[in-house]
Amino acid sequence: MKFLKSFLVVLLVLLPAVSFGKKAQTIEELAKMYDSTRCKECHEEIYARWEKSHHARSLMGVQGGMFMTPLAMKGKTPFSPDSPDKATLDTFPCFKCHLPQALVSADDAFAVDYSKALIAQDSKRVSQLRITCIVCHNTKAIIHQLSDGEPEKNVLYGTKEVASHDDEFFTKIKKGKIMDHAIMCGQCHGLGPNLEFKNPVQCATLYGSYEHNYISKGGTQQCQECHMQDVDGFADHLIAPNWDDLAGTKEILQDTISMDVQTLGYDWLLKSKDWKPMVVVNTKITQNAGHRIPDG
Amino acid sequence: MTAKTKDGKEVYNSEKHYHTQATDCKTNKMLYGAQVKTQYIRDTALQPYETKAESFEIMLPEGVRDVDVIVSLRYEINKPSNFIEIAKVTRKVSLDR
């Protein structure tokens, strides 16, 4: 009896820990785990900018498309399962960047739920899944995990140390070593083909372009210096461009890309006494970004 | 880039496309879609610290001596009909003084 009592006490103490480590099995469970809504209580300006960003709708694609839908449809891609019920996390290689929290905090049941939502084109449910504050400031904040360890559970990582953070769960802010470096973004805005999957996947190659075609030509700026400039004293978490804001994006493109046009009209003497009416249009297009355009 | 006569008749039309182009390495068909793209086979995108220079030569039809040249620089989003016009330059070009 005494042993049974001890066992019950131990079991009761262990249960919360087990519950904490439980993997999300539905869209709602994963969304709740990484919900950053409470961040806006103190970081209202930053949150408002982030809410307009593509990070806040990382599964909704440009202009609202649920781009992963073919992965859930039988026969549409090499990754597609025979039915949504058979989906696993491996069905969705795009999670690597578009939903990295799924790989650490969800299991295959989540992939089934997500597949069904895609087939139903349930944008209301799918759009709950986002690259939230927690994803960048915790999950993806440390890349030197062998030497520096995994992100600590109660710590957010920023550009500076803050002794105390007024949050029920994330009680500390530590300085993240890569937060102001291009590689922070490069974790997802990639290098080239992702060959770790059983079929290659090639999405964004922006960081590859930055490394091999900007740094190599003498460029020195980090992604954050252009894409996260201060707005009213805060790093801009819109991380423009926002492709759903065509006017704002046009402004950025016009600041970045310029075109010179020269024209000439003359009679070209192709052969003796055989003039041809000719117009020549010479164009020169230049850009001042730290990467190829277009890329992502 | 287009050239039109005074009465609006198009006498020339040409496009240049600046972007990466990929296949799945199993055929020579260019493909879109991250889940099937495997390798770039060509990259005509705008590169940092580089200028893309083009020269369009338009041989005008017999009797045409004046044209309006329209050069439009566009950023296409997902499909050709969905674009942002970054710059548009119109020039009147005449062969006569």
Side-chain angles (χ1 to χ4, degrees):
Chain A
M1 192 63 184
K2 195 176 174 187
F3 169 75
L4 186 62
K5 266 188 188 169
S6 306
F7 179 74
L8 279 173
V9 170
V10 170
L11 190 66
L12 286 171
V13 169
L14 281 176
L15 266 176
V18 172
S19 307
F20 181 76
K22 192 184 166 223
K23 302 266 184 177
Q25 300 196 321
T26 66
I27 288 171
E28 287 71 21
E29 282 175 15
L30 187 61
K32 195 176 173 191
M33 272 184 196
Y34 285 80
D35 180 30
S36 298
T37 311
R38 68 188 189 279
C39 303
K40 76 174 160 191
E41 288 170 22
C42 298
H43 306 284
E44 194 182 340
E45 300 87 350
I46 292 173
Y47 193 90
R49 296 291 286 175
W50 166 82
E51 262 197 315
K52 292 178 185 164
S53 75
H54 283 286
H55 285 155
R57 48 179 193 279
S58 61
L59 300 187
M60 299 305 293
V62 172
Q63 300 183 348
M66 283 186 280
F67 61 93
M68 280 198 229
T69 305
L71 291 163
M73 297 168 73
K74 185 181 177 181
K76 280 281 180 186
T77 79
F79 297 91
S80 303
D82 286 343
S83 76
D85 285 324
K86 296 207 166 81
T88 67
L89 290 174
D90 290 340
T91 303
F92 300 101
C94 312
F95 283 167
K96 177 184 174 183
C97 293
H98 287 268
L99 198 68
Q101 62 266 47
L103 301 180
V104 290
S105 301
D107 64 19
D108 290 340
F110 165 80
V112 170
D113 187 39
Y114 177 59
S115 287
K116 288 177 178 172
L118 286 176
I119 296 296
Q121 290 292 283
D122 192 341
S123 58
K124 197 174 170 192
R125 290 190 73 216
V126 170
S127 62
Q128 294 175 51
L129 298 164
R130 315 161 107 184
I131 304 291
T132 65
C133 311
I134 299 166
V135 177
C136 293
H137 290 279
N138 178 275
T139 316
K140 304 293 286 182
I142 298 179
I143 56 169
H144 306 90
Q145 295 197 4
L146 290 180
S147 48
D148 297 349
E150 292 184 10
E152 293 174 56
K153 296 238 178 281
N154 64 333
V155 172
L156 290 175
Y157 298 85
T159 51
K160 58 188 176 200
E161 201 99 12
V162 178
S164 158
H165 183 236
D166 188 14
D167 183 75
E168 58 191 285
F169 191 75
F170 294 105
T171 53
K172 285 181 196 166
I173 307 285
K174 287 191 177 176
K175 185 174 162 54
K177 289 173 186 163
I178 60 158
M179 294 306 289
D180 54 1
H181 279 67
I183 189 128
M184 178 67 203
C185 314
Q187 292 180 81
C188 284
H189 297 270
L191 285 163
N194 296 278
L195 293 164
E196 71 270 34
F197 300 112
K198 286 189 174 176
N199 253 51
V201 168
Q202 183 166 324
C203 186
T205 53
L206 206 57
Y207 187 62
S209 169
Y210 168 86
E211 284 245 294
H212 303 301
N213 214 357
Y214 170 69
I215 295 294
S216 66
K217 291 172 179 160
T220 59
Q221 289 189 284
Q222 308 295 324
C223 311
Q224 293 87 335
E225 290 178 68
C226 293
H227 292 274
M228 295 188 76
Q229 290 180 24
D230 275 9
V231 173
D232 300 330
F234 301 101
D236 189 359
H237 283 64
L238 175 67
I239 316 179
N242 166 13
W243 294 100
D244 291 1
D245 170 16
L246 294 179
T249 301
K250 180 171 183 166
E251 218 170 282
I252 294 168
L253 289 170
Q254 288 179 329
D255 281 348
T256 309
I257 303 171
S258 60
M259 178 173 70
D260 176 69
V261 177
Q262 301 291 327
T263 55
L264 172 70
Y266 68 110
D267 289 296
W268 178 39
L269 189 58
L270 177 60
K271 59 184 180 183
S272 179
K273 295 177 186 172
D274 185 14
W275 284 275
K276 300 287 184 191
M278 173 77 90
V279 167
V280 176
V281 181
N282 292 327
T283 60
K284 284 185 178 173
I285 302 169
T286 53
Q287 59 109 325
N288 58 23
H291 50 78
R292 74 160 70 79
I293 297 175
D295 207 325
Chain B
M1 206 275 286
T2 56
K4 292 179 178 176
T5 59
K6 280 179 190 169
D7 53 6
K9 189 182 167 197
E10 190 176 291
V11 292
Y12 183 84
N13 186 314
S14 180
E15 292 182 2
K16 293 283 178 185
H17 296 260
Y18 304 109
H19 59 100
T20 54
Q21 293 153 54
T23 71
D24 64 1
C25 294
K26 295 198 279 189
T27 75
N28 287 333
K29 271 188 189 165
M30 185 181 142
L31 298 168
Y32 285 122
Q35 71 277 7
V36 286
K37 282 192 299 185
T38 300
Q39 185 192 302
Y40 291 147
I41 52 162
R42 193 174 177 220
D43 183 1
T44 61
L46 306 179
Q47 303 294 342
Y49 298 121
E50 286 181 22
T51 299
K52 290 279 181 193
E54 311 286 355
S55 190
F56 302 90
E57 294 184 341
I58 307 169
M59 198 89 82
L60 296 180
E62 199 66 40
V64 176
R65 306 286 292 169
D66 302 279
V67 286
D68 288 329
V69 169
I70 303 129
V71 185
S72 174
L73 179 63
R74 299 169 174 187
Y75 194 110
E76 287 181 6
I77 305 165
N78 291 341
K79 55 186 178 184
S81 59
N82 188 24
F83 63 85
I84 293 171
E85 188 161 63
I86 302 167
K88 185 177 183 179
V89 175
T90 304
R91 295 274 162 78
K92 288 187 182 302
V93 186
S94 178
L95 274 67
D96 299 317
R97 294 192 171 210

